[in-house]
Amino acid sequence: MDKTISRERHSDKIVEKVALSQIILCVCAFMFARVGIEGQFYTLGIAYLATLHRNSSVRKWCGLFATLGYISIAIFNVNAINYIIIAGFITVFRSLMERGRIQFNLKNQMVVVSAAMLIVKLSLLFITGFNIVTIGVVLLEIMVACMLMVFLDYGVGAILENKQYALTQKEATSVILMFVGILAGTVDFYITMPVFIEIYFRDVMVYVFLMAITYLGGVNLGVTVSVVLGGLLYAIGYIPLHFCLIYSAGSILAGILQPLGKTAVTLGMGLGNLIGFAVFNAGVLDMPLLGAFIIAAIINSLLPAKYFGFANWFKEKQREEQEKIHMMHIQDTVATRLDHFRKAFYKLGVSFQNEQFRRIELDRKKMESIVEETHAKLCSNCNFRKYCWEDKVEKMYTMSLEMVLIGQANGRIVKKDIPEEFSRICAQPESFASILNFRLDLSRQNVIYENQVIETKMLMGQQMVAVSDSINSITEEITEEVVFNKELEYEIQESLISIGIKVKDVLLLETEGELKLIELYTKHCNKNPNMLKAIIKTIEHVMHTKVEIKNHVCNPLGCYFQIIKKQKFSVLAGAAICAKGDISGDVHSFMQLDNGKYLMAVADGMGNGEAARQESKITIEMLEEFMEAGLDEEVALRLINSSLILRMENEVFSTIDVTIIDTSTGVAKLLKAGAATTFILRANDDEVVTIRSNSLPVGIIKDVDIETHHVQLEYGDTIVMVTDGLLATPEDALGREAMFKELILETTAKDPEQKAHYLLNKSRQLLSGDYSDDMTVIVGCVWKKMD
């Protein structure tokens, strides 16, 4: 068992040691060894090998891979053998340094490389013959190797340290040089395809690399890399000189389109190459190169936007990533603090709701307390106290308790309830019974008061739990992945500027890939309707979706536009009211909410006149405020209910009928608390659907019963909401619902207000002016939103 654990730990250590950065460095060693200038100078591999001085395992493994790289080309080019020998000398010198415990650094490695190259190169010249020129070439190559070591050292350090932040200019230059070296040293092969003839692997990788660098680093870096890459490929004899210009043309156009995203960079690179072929290649398309670009474009589109973490090395992309992380931290902080509030409200609310009502019936202890208090009040100064409450205390106490029990059962102690023996013993039996009654009533009132306090606490608990639910909804919204789409922001801004609209700023918010909101800031528009149309048309063209202006604020400093995705449905509503007396107790509301929903509501206060109107007004005003605050509908009604109950100075009851229509989906949510039937006229089949309620009004009981119904509406459907004055008449003149359904089918008016007045007037005619209650009709017509 111990041996097994030991083996597992040993394997874990091996895995830890073999890091991705070390694998990359080994690959670089193999590729760089293969890069030669004019088939003679393979200096890059030696210079790179010398920079690997930081880590002993990296030195050894990369030395092996560099040797393999030289061997892979030595089969075809004997010049590579010289560099195998140089690599061997470097290994020997390093072994001597390790034995002598000399610390490795860039300077002594330059000495090692210079000594190894000088020994091997001069030995070769001694055999083949030498002159001043050949010695000068050797010295120049050694200088180039030392310069390359300085350049490569920054990149090797960045990879070895696995940096996750933006590279310095020197590090970036070095890393790019390393990537270019990898491409130059790539083992090339090709695939044969119709039209494109032969597509080379190296060409594909060149384009993938150029598009990635241009997307991550912008136009300046893209053009710089294209020049360096093209120059090196030309130096090794892979491409003609004018192809360097073609690469640069593609990088320039791709860099210009870089703010628009990866796809735009790919298209820009392709278009730039076509222009390059037209200008620098006598208008002749190089089909193998074009085929390589097409394959590279497909590969680039499949690569992740972060390019496996390399995007963090580039300042612009890293800044975007930091902004995302910063936003996530803000979201987490706010959500955490809100969650603490939510938990506090919830726990407090639950603790209040867990209160238990006190029993009206008195327990033994309370009854004994009543007897003792009565005895202390009446008998303490009585001259006969010794006779009754000392000599016969047990009997008097028992009979007193019996009277309290009778009083609790019957509600009061009367003269006949006083035991005869108690009357014979006590000098003031009726006074004693009277005080018992008083104490008994006082105890009952105390219990009732305590229960009212408990009920108030429970209602407050309900409100706190409702507030907790609301905070939870806000927290969920905050923690949603809301992102600012900078690529589309830039595209919208550029498109608007191109048509003459002076844009100051654009903010585009998306949630889970869906458009949430566009906020646009422009210079003062003078309320120009043509400008509004142009903004909508341009944004729709960029977004490929229908949008509409939800809010437009204009002042001398500029304009603010709030733009949302166009809603599928629109709702037109109208109402008609008839009061029993001078003032109607019914209050209604219909309004468009900020979240794209439409509210229709009516409240019917108990009775009629000003008092009923105030009840209804309180209910509707609270509902409107809660809805505009974004509170859940059922939570809002429960808060309203508990608020009405807590108005303890008088009883406030009100039926409430609410319909909320989601204008993006057409789903209507109907909530009823004691409300009358709602009617839905279906446009397709001329059918009237009824939705009834059996719940109590709000403000009566603590746990309000809210009936909820969901209905999918279609274009042309009509919703009719009424108060019970139209349906619950004493004579039942309307036949309750049946006659009213016939009236709905009869009306031909298109305008919702005209429909409401028609239905109300017809109802009044049938009642012949005998109104038992206020009457209100609300009609909402659902239409397809106009484009």
Side-chain angles (χ1 to χ4, degrees):
M1 182 67 179
D2 292 339
K3 290 181 179 179
T4 303
I5 294 173
S6 177
R7 283 197 299 271
E8 289 177 355
R9 287 176 180 172
H10 180 66
S11 63
D12 289 342
K13 289 180 179 180
I14 293 173
V15 172
E16 287 175 4
K17 289 179 180 179
V18 182
L20 177 62
S21 58
Q22 295 176 359
I23 294 173
I24 293 174
L25 292 174
C26 289
V27 172
C28 289
F30 180 84
M31 295 298 184
F32 290 177
R34 293 174 49 80
V35 178
I37 306 300
E38 295 184 356
Q40 296 183 35
F41 304 102
Y42 293 89
T43 316
L44 182 61
I46 295 298
Y48 174 74
L49 191 61
T51 60
L52 304 169
H53 56 80
R54 291 175 172 82
N55 184 290
S56 60
S57 63
V58 171
R59 288 197 299 268
K60 293 173 182 177
W61 282 104
C62 287
L64 173 62
F65 275 85
T67 304
L68 293 174
Y70 283 124
I71 292 172
S72 69
I73 57 172
I75 302 170
F76 310 102
N77 192 332
V78 293
N79 288 324
I81 297 174
N82 300 331
Y83 293 90
I84 296 174
I85 298 170
I86 293 171
F89 269 101
I90 292 172
T91 304
V92 171
F93 291 152
R94 281 179 168 175
S95 298
L96 294 174
M97 288 178 66
E98 287 177 348
R99 289 182 182 181
R101 296 184 179 180
I102 300 173
Q103 187 175 0
F104 286 76
N105 56 50
L106 187 61
K107 289 182 180 180
N108 57 38
Q109 290 304 296
M110 284 185 177
V111 173
V112 168
V113 168
S114 299
M117 292 184 69
L118 198 61
I119 292 171
V120 174
K121 290 286 185 176
L122 290 180
S123 299
L124 182 63
L125 289 178
F126 182 79
I127 296 171
T128 60
F130 61 89
N131 53 43
I132 296 175
V133 174
T134 54
I135 293 174
V137 170
V138 170
L139 295 176
L140 179 61
E141 186 181 5
I142 291 172
M143 292 174 60
V144 170
C146 292
M147 290 175 60
L148 287 173
M149 286 176 63
V150 174
F151 281 125
L152 293 172
D153 188 64
Y154 292 105
V156 169
I159 294 174
L160 197 58
E161 294 170 20
N162 194 23
K163 288 193 174 182
Q164 297 298 313
Y165 48 85
L167 301 179
T168 64
Q169 188 173 1
K170 291 178 180 179
E171 289 173 337
T173 305
S174 179
V175 168
I176 289 169
L177 180 62
M178 292 176 67
F179 285 163
V180 170
I182 291 173
L183 290 176
T186 302
V187 179
D188 206 12
F189 60 88
Y190 63 87
I191 57 173
T192 303
M193 292 185 68
V195 181
F196 300 111
I197 310 170
E198 297 172 348
I199 297 177
Y200 286 83
F201 172 73
R202 184 180 287 168
D203 289 334
V204 173
M205 296 308 297
V206 164
Y207 276 120
V208 170
F209 180 66
L210 279 179
M211 285 186 284
I213 288 293
T214 306
Y215 171 66
L216 296 174
V219 62
N220 293 333
L221 190 60
V223 173
T224 302
V225 171
S226 68
V227 172
V228 174
L229 179 59
L232 184 57
L233 293 177
Y234 169 72
I236 66 175
Y238 184 72
I239 60 172
L241 182 60
H242 62 277
F243 271 35
C244 301
L245 300 174
I246 293 173
Y247 288 155
S248 298
S251 297
I252 290 171
L253 198 54
I256 292 172
L257 299 178
Q258 181 255 3
L260 303 182
K262 277 176 65 178
T263 304
V265 167
T266 303
L267 293 175
M269 183 66 71
L271 185 58
N273 273 266
L274 293 176
I275 295 171
F277 286 132
V279 176
F280 305 115
N281 202 41
V284 178
L285 291 178
D286 188 289
M287 298 311 293
L289 205 60
L290 188 60
F293 167 74
I294 293 172
I295 294 176
I298 296 171
I299 294 172
N300 189 56
S301 66
L302 298 176
L303 292 175
K306 294 183 180 180
Y307 286 91
F308 306 104
F310 292 120
N312 293 331
W313 286 357
F314 298 87
K315 289 182 180 179
E316 189 62 31
K317 294 302 171 184
Q318 191 215 24
R319 191 179 298 116
E320 291 179 11
E321 191 65 26
Q322 286 176 339
E323 288 176 1
K324 289 181 183 178
I325 294 171
H326 184 63
M327 180 64 71
M328 287 172 59
H329 288 164
I330 292 173
Q331 288 175 330
D332 290 342
T333 301
V334 174
T336 301
R337 295 188 67 180
L338 283 175
D339 195 51
H340 288 310
F341 283 115
R342 179 191 68 80
K343 288 177 180 176
F345 276 111
Y346 180 78
K347 289 178 180 178
L348 190 58
V350 169
S351 69
F352 281 168
Q353 287 183 311
N354 287 337
E355 291 273 355
Q356 298 294 322
F357 285 115
R358 307 289 187 264
R359 294 178 58 188
I360 298 296
E361 295 82 7
L362 303 180
D363 55 20
R364 175 84 180 185
K365 188 176 180 180
K366 274 284 186 186
M367 289 190 291
E368 289 176 352
S369 176
I370 289 171
V371 171
E372 289 169 3
E373 289 172 0
T374 303
H375 165 253
K377 178 74 175 175
L378 186 65
C379 304
S380 58
N381 297 321
C382 180
N383 295 328
F384 297 97
R385 185 175 182 278
K386 184 178 185 305
Y387 172 69
C388 54
W389 284 98
E390 289 184 12
D391 295 345
K392 299 183 178 180
V393 62
E394 186 176 347
K395 186 175 289 187
M396 291 294 287
Y397 199 84
T398 302
M399 288 188 290
S400 297
L401 285 175
E402 288 176 358
M403 283 191 286
V404 173
L405 282 169
I406 293 170
Q408 181 170 257
N410 299 333
R412 187 167 183 78
I413 303 170
V414 296
K415 186 176 180 180
K416 66 182 183 65
D417 296 329
I418 302 172
E420 292 182 7
E421 188 175 359
F422 189 92
S423 298
R424 286 196 304 269
I425 298 171
C426 181
Q428 305 176 73
E430 292 182 13
S431 297
F432 193 91
S434 177
I435 295 175
L436 283 177
N437 273 327
F438 173 76
R439 295 291 176 186
L440 189 59
D441 287 340
L442 189 61
S443 296
R444 285 202 195 97
Q445 291 301 319
N446 285 337
V447 172
I448 291 171
Y449 176 76
E450 288 175 6
N451 284 338
Q452 286 178 338
V453 171
I454 291 169
E455 185 175 19
T456 302
K457 286 183 178 181
M458 294 173 75
L459 289 167
M460 289 176 65
Q462 275 191 346
Q463 290 188 328
M464 289 177 183
V465 171
V467 171
S468 171
D469 291 339
S470 302
I471 293 174
N472 189 52
S473 299
I474 295 170
T475 305
E476 287 177 355
E477 286 184 12
I478 290 173
T479 52
E480 281 182 356
E481 189 182 349
V482 179
V483 296
F484 296 91
N485 193 325
K486 293 196 172 185
E487 294 176 1
L488 279 176
E489 286 174 0
Y490 181 84
E491 189 173 352
I492 289 171
Q493 185 169 354
E494 290 296 306
S495 299
L496 290 173
I497 290 173
S498 68
I499 61 172
I501 297 175
K502 297 179 179 179
V503 179
K504 293 182 177 179
D505 195 15
V506 179
L507 292 176
L508 192 151
L509 281 75
E510 291 182 342
T511 303
E512 296 179 354
E514 288 291 326
L515 173 65
K516 188 176 182 70
L517 180 70
I518 300 175
E519 292 187 342
L520 177 66
Y521 299 86
T522 69
K523 289 197 173 182
H524 187 57
C525 70
N526 296 315
K527 297 288 184 179
N528 184 354
N530 293 327
M531 179 177 170
L532 304 185
K533 292 178 182 177
I535 288 173
I536 292 297
K537 185 177 180 181
T538 303
I539 292 176
E540 287 181 344
H541 177 72
V542 172
M543 298 288 299
H544 303 293
T545 187
K546 295 289 184 181
V547 297
E548 61 184 350
I549 295 176
K550 180 183 175 183
N551 191 16
H552 176 203
V553 179
C554 200
N555 58 56
L557 297 176
C559 289
Y560 165 75
F561 299 89
Q562 194 178 59
I563 300 164
I564 60 172
K565 192 173 180 180
K566 196 173 186 66
Q567 304 298 299
K568 295 179 181 179
F569 297 84
S570 63
V571 182
L572 296 176
I577 302 171
C578 176
K580 178 182 178 183
D582 296 331
I583 300 173
S584 173
D586 299 344
V587 177
H588 69 275
S589 174
F590 37 83
M591 61 190 296
Q592 182 71 50
L593 303 174
D594 287 342
N595 57 5
K597 296 181 180 180
Y598 194 88
L599 168 70
M600 298 169 58
V602 60
D604 181 5
M606 292 297 132
N608 50 62
E610 183 60 30
R613 178 175 178 79
Q614 286 301 318
E615 296 168 11
S616 303
K617 186 179 178 183
I618 291 168
T619 305
I620 288 295
E621 285 179 350
M622 283 194 290
L623 178 65
E624 288 178 340
E625 291 296 330
F626 287 144
M627 290 296 95
E628 292 207 78
L631 207 61
D632 179 77
E633 300 87 7
E634 291 188 42
V635 172
L637 290 184
R638 294 189 188 282
L639 281 172
I640 291 169
N641 179 69
S642 55
S643 297
L644 294 180
I645 293 176
L646 286 173
R647 289 166 56 87
M648 298 178 67
E649 70 274 8
N650 61 327
E651 292 182 333
V652 182
F653 307 144
S654 177
T655 67
I656 186 164
D657 198 359
V658 179
T659 299
I660 297 173
I661 303 169
D662 189 332
T663 54
S664 62
T665 62
V667 174
K669 185 176 182 180
L670 289 80
L671 302 102
K672 291 178 170 291
T677 303
T678 296
F679 302 86
I680 299 177
L681 173 61
R682 293 294 191 180
N684 295 334
D685 49 14
D686 290 332
E687 176 192 5
V688 177
V689 179
T690 56
I691 298 174
R692 302 177 182 86
S693 170
N694 297 313
S695 57
L696 291 172
V698 292
I700 293 181
I701 60 173
K702 172 176 64 68
D703 297 315
V704 63
D705 180 20
I706 301 168
E707 294 187 21
T708 305
H709 307 268
H710 292 85
V711 180
Q712 177 64 59
L713 301 176
E714 302 295 340
Y715 301 135
D717 286 355
T718 301
I719 298 176
V720 181
M721 301 167 65
V722 300
T723 54
D724 56 9
L726 279 87
L727 303 179
T729 57
E731 294 84 4
D732 197 23
L734 297 178
R736 291 194 177 268
E737 297 172 3
M739 183 60 71
F740 197 76
K741 288 170 69 173
E742 292 298 324
L743 295 178
I744 293 172
L745 290 169
E746 284 177 9
T747 179
T748 57
K750 299 294 183 183
D751 181 72
E753 190 159 341
Q754 291 179 0
K755 284 188 177 185
H757 280 285
Y758 174 84
L759 294 170
L760 182 63
N761 291 333
K762 279 289 186 180
S763 301
R764 291 173 64 188
Q765 290 173 14
L766 289 170
L767 289 169
S768 302
D770 184 15
Y771 312 139
S772 63
D773 198 358
D774 303 315
M775 293 186 289
T776 298
V777 181
I778 297 180
V779 176
C781 297
V782 181
W783 305 108
K784 184 176 182 180
K785 193 126 184 179
M786 298 294 291
D787 292 333

